[in-house]
Structures are given as structure tokens and as C-alpha cells.
Amino acid sequence: MRHTLEGGTMMSKGTWQIAVGGVALAATVFVLPTPLFHVASGNADAGAVGFFVLGLALLAAGLGSLGFGLYRRSRDLKTARSYATREPSSLDEDRPVNPYGIPKSYGAVPPLT
């Protein structure tokens, strides 16, 4: 399913979770390596331990949010679609007219069988 935002853009489910997870994982790359080295070597002070815990929290939150966003996005792919449940990619009035199609009779003429 897609949601319409205030600007009129279409976003699928899970997009915000994927974006937040990506930002958290990118922040992990900047926060975690040095405190991880200090904690692993055994000469970490309180600040390094604090940044190590912050880096682990960012890593867990980023992976969790990214995984949840990908899960939400893939749920719609697992369900069968029909013409009744499909969502249009554009508005009907924006679609070009098929010059080769059978014109609509709107009930004046019975449909061809």
C-alpha cells in the first residue's frame, strides 16, 4: 500500500523505517570503531565506554529499524493482487486514451460477447 504525504508524493510502507535505519547505521560507522578499540584493548575511560554503549545502541536500533522497514515493504509482495485490490500508479484521468480500444457505450449498447 502507498500513503500520500502532504506534498502529494507517494511513499510505500516501510520507507521511513528504512531511512532511519540507514542513518543510524551510518552514524554507527562514525561512533563505534574507536571506543570499540579502547574497550577491547582494556584501557577505556568512562567517555569511551559511554560512546561504546551509544555505538552499540545505534547499531541495534539501525539493524532493527532497517529489518522492520524491509519486512513492512515485503508484506505486500507476498499477497496476490487482483484488479479489485490493486493500487493505480497514476490517476485514471492522467492516463492516455487508447485509440485502438473499443469505445465505452455506457449501457446504451449491450457489451460484445
Side-chain angles (χ1 to χ4, degrees):
M1 291 208 175
R2 293 186 173 211
H3 302 286
T4 304
L5 297 177
E6 293 83 21
T9 60
M10 303 290 275
M11 294 188 65
S12 62
K13 287 183 178 179
T15 302
W16 287 109
Q17 288 85 1
I18 292 172
V20 168
V23 169
L25 289 176
T28 302
V29 172
F30 294 107
V31 173
L32 190 58
T34 303
L36 178 63
F37 172 74
H38 287 295
V39 169
S41 65
N43 59 358
D45 57 351
V49 172
F51 275 114
F52 176 71
V53 171
L54 176 68
L56 287 180
L58 281 171
L59 181 64
L63 289 175
S65 179
L66 186 67
F68 183 66
L70 290 173
Y71 168 74
R72 285 190 63 192
R73 181 172 282 184
S74 69
R75 277 196 308 188
D76 290 337
L77 299 176
K78 296 176 186 173
T79 59
R81 297 179 111 184
S82 67
Y83 284 108
T85 61
R86 74 169 179 85
E87 294 179 22
S89 58
S90 64
L91 299 175
D92 286 337
E93 54 267 8
D94 293 338
R95 294 182 182 172
V97 177
N98 182 4
Y100 303 107
I102 299 173
K104 294 181 182 178
S105 62
Y106 298 104
V109 178
L112 300 172
T113 56

